[in-house]
Amino acid sequence: MNLDEFTAENAPTDSAEPFQRENSYTLDVDVDGTVMAKAGSMVAFTGDVSFTGKASAEGGITGFLKEAATGEGTPIMAVEGQGHVYFADDGKKVQVVELDAGESITVNGEDVLAFEESLSYEISAIDSLAGALAGGFSNVYLEGPGYVALTTHGDPIVLEPPVATDPSATVAWGGTSPDVEVNRSLSDMIGQESGERYQMRFEGDGGFVVVQPREEHV
């Protein structure tokens, strides 16, 4: 492959969609106004775009900062202006989901890459997992209409309830809510410090659960 072939093969592609994957690991957002994104995830941009951190103690999207899945929070930034912004997160795969009006998804706070300002959102924590995972376990409820981009380690699998999942491998769910179970009978067979094992159990006839083939250690 010569230089011209290399640049042509890897150049950005045109699309009418505001959120699109340039490749498996990079998200291209056509910003025209405001988009929310995980701080530190911008890798390049074109146009007239500004980035503002959301680190204040009150208002707006601060809940995501204060209640995120990491012990110190996952800072969020507002991306404002007009241009194309390219996002990525530590080589994780990008998944783009379009939510219609009334449709919703709940995402592990560590796995939210970006979402349109048109989405309504609510931050919550699963208190029963606070001592099980580093920094606890917080999630972001997002309701359409609008686009949201998630990240996964590897290719995700989408399961239907009833199903039990490892909290550290659980990326998102919709149409169902989890209960947390503790299995103290499992011994330390896989090198973990504790004999307690936690599972998120999803019940019901509808809904979906997204898991990834790797535990998210934060």
Side-chain angles (χ1 to χ4, degrees), residues 19-108:
F19 277 43
Q20 71 162 338
R21 297 195 306 173
E22 283 298 342
N23 53 49
S24 296
Y25 314 100
T26 309
L27 173 71
D28 174 6
V29 177
D30 184 1
V31 178
D32 185 10
T34 302
V35 170
M36 299 300 184
K38 188 174 186 177
S41 62
M42 184 276 290
V43 296
F45 70 92
T46 63
D48 184 10
V49 180
S50 64
F51 304 87
T52 305
K54 296 290 184 181
S56 62
E58 62 277 324
I61 195 164
T62 334
F64 193 19
L65 171 67
K66 297 300 181 182
E67 302 291 344
T70 64
E72 295 168 352
T74 300
I76 282 287
M77 60 186 177
V79 183
E80 300 172 290
Q82 290 186 320
H84 281 263
V85 183
Y86 301 91
F87 299 101
D89 185 12
D90 197 28
K92 295 167 67 176
K93 286 196 168 184
V94 175
Q95 319 293 336
V96 176
V97 178
E98 182 181 9
L99 299 176
D100 291 333
E103 289 186 326
S104 63
I105 189 171
T106 300
V107 187
N108 183 336

Side-chain angles (χ1 to χ4, degrees), residues 171-182:
V171 175
W173 61 88
T176 181
S177 297
D179 291 320
V180 177
E181 295 183 349
V182 182

Side-chain angles (χ1 to χ4, degrees), residues 1-206:
M1 181 183 297
N2 63 34
L3 183 58
D4 288 341
E5 291 170 336
F6 173 78
T7 56
E9 183 171 319
N10 294 286
T13 56
D14 293 328
S15 173
E17 303 296 335
F19 277 43
Q20 71 162 338
R21 297 195 306 173
E22 283 298 342
N23 53 49
S24 296
Y25 314 100
T26 309
L27 173 71
D28 174 6
V29 177
D30 184 1
V31 178
D32 185 10
T34 302
V35 170
M36 299 300 184
K38 188 174 186 177
S41 62
M42 184 276 290
V43 296
F45 70 92
T46 63
D48 184 10
V49 180
S50 64
F51 304 87
T52 305
K54 296 290 184 181
S56 62
E58 62 277 324
I61 195 164
T62 334
F64 193 19
L65 171 67
K66 297 300 181 182
E67 302 291 344
T70 64
E72 295 168 352
T74 300
I76 282 287
M77 60 186 177
V79 183
E80 300 172 290
Q82 290 186 320
H84 281 263
V85 183
Y86 301 91
F87 299 101
D89 185 12
D90 197 28
K92 295 167 67 176
K93 286 196 168 184
V94 175
Q95 319 293 336
V96 176
V97 178
E98 182 181 9
L99 299 176
D100 291 333
E103 289 186 326
S104 63
I105 189 171
T106 300
V107 187
N108 183 336
E110 184 64 20
D111 300 321
V112 175
L113 182 61
F115 59 91
E116 288 190 293
E117 191 182 34
S118 60
L119 291 172
S120 59
Y121 61 90
E122 181 179 345
I123 315 304
S124 62
I126 299 179
D127 293 337
S128 53
L129 288 175
L133 304 175
F137 186 96
S138 295
N139 48 74
V140 186
Y141 172 84
L142 297 156
E143 183 174 334
Y147 283 87
V148 56
L150 324 177
T151 55
T152 60
H153 288 287
D155 293 324
I157 183 171
V158 180
L159 303 170
E160 294 183 0
V163 63
T165 65
D166 182 331
S168 297
T170 306
V171 175
W173 61 88
T176 181
S177 297
D179 291 320
V180 177
E181 295 183 349
V182 182
N183 189 336
R184 292 181 171 84
S185 66
L186 292 178
S187 61
D188 186 11
M189 295 182 293
I190 55 175
Q192 297 197 6
E193 292 295 325
S194 173
E196 295 184 357
R197 295 298 306 275
Y198 291 78
Q199 295 96 35
M200 299 173 72
R201 182 167 293 279
F202 298 85
E203 301 289 352
D205 296 328

